[in-house]
Amino acid sequence: MEPNVRAVCHIRRTTITGVLFLAAIAAVVSFRHMHELCLRHGEDRLAVVLIPLAVDGTIVVASMSILLANRYGSCGGVLAWIMLGVGSLASLAANVAVAEPSLIGRIIAAWPSAALIGSYKLLMSQIRRLSAASKRVADAVEDLSAAESSCS
């Protein structure tokens, strides 16, 4: 494996690990804040567990749909991005709603969701770039094979 490929693999693995780490943090913080918000608004014991899981589940499913599409060179489709946006906004809104009612308190509460949203978008652009580069290499190999075949 040449150094450039090794470096790209290391960068991609590090980014994926970082996004997963931020996702875990955001999920825990989001769950706690949404749980608290549901309790404050009179939801029963089952709903205060299921509602945060539904929000985080929406984010996971939409994210995985976008990730799969990106691996095939597509941006993911409108529905996946809408669901990711809606889930992320619901999480962000719950975090801010239960925060201490000050600017600093709201920024602190919003940070895990905002960090995850931004880092996920960065990962998607890395994957799109790598998919485009892989397609260019595959096309070049195909062209070379076709040229060699016509020379024989």
Side-chain angles (χ1 to χ4, degrees), residues 42 49 61 86 111 140:
V49 172
V61 171
V86 168
W111 182 253

Side-chain angles (χ1 to χ4, degrees), residues 108-149:
I108 291 169
W111 182 253
S113 290
L116 176 59
I117 293 164
S119 66
Y120 184 76
K121 184 68 175 146
L122 291 170
L123 174 62
M124 293 302 99
S125 33
Q126 281 184 20
I127 290 171
R128 271 193 298 278
R129 266 187 242 109
L130 288 171
S131 292
S134 295
K135 184 172 179 357
R136 284 192 304 272
V137 168
D139 289 346
V141 167
E142 188 177 304
D143 292 346
L144 183 59
S145 294
E148 286 176 353
S149 295

Side-chain angles (χ1 to χ4, degrees), residues 4-123:
N4 287 352
V5 173
R6 218 183 301 209
V8 168
C9 288
H10 181 69
I11 290 167
R12 188 171 62 185
R13 269 189 250 116
T14 302
T15 304
I16 290 168
T17 301
V19 169
L20 290 172
F21 182 66
L22 288 170
I25 291 168
V28 169
V29 171
S30 169
F31 183 90
R32 291 182 66 213
H33 287 159
M34 188 136 333
H35 186 271
E36 174 65 26
L37 190 62
C38 289
L39 283 173
R40 286 183 189 178
H41 290 276
E43 294 295 332
D44 64 41
R45 289 187 329 191
L46 181 59
V48 299
V49 172
L50 294 179
I51 291 170
L53 291 175
V55 170
D56 289 342
T58 299
I59 293 170
V60 169
V61 171
S63 297
M64 292 301 101
S65 296
I66 294 166
L67 179 60
L68 182 62
N70 274 259
R71 292 185 64 87
Y72 289 102
S74 169
C75 65
V78 175
L79 180 58
W81 280 104
I82 287 172
M83 295 307 294
L84 179 61
V86 168
S88 296
L89 286 174
S91 175
L92 193 58
N95 290 348
V96 170
V98 299
E100 176 188 310
S102 69
L103 178 61
I104 299 296
R106 289 184 174 129
I107 290 171
I108 291 169
W111 182 253
S113 290
L116 176 59
I117 293 164
S119 66
Y120 184 76
K121 184 68 175 146
L122 291 170
L123 174 62

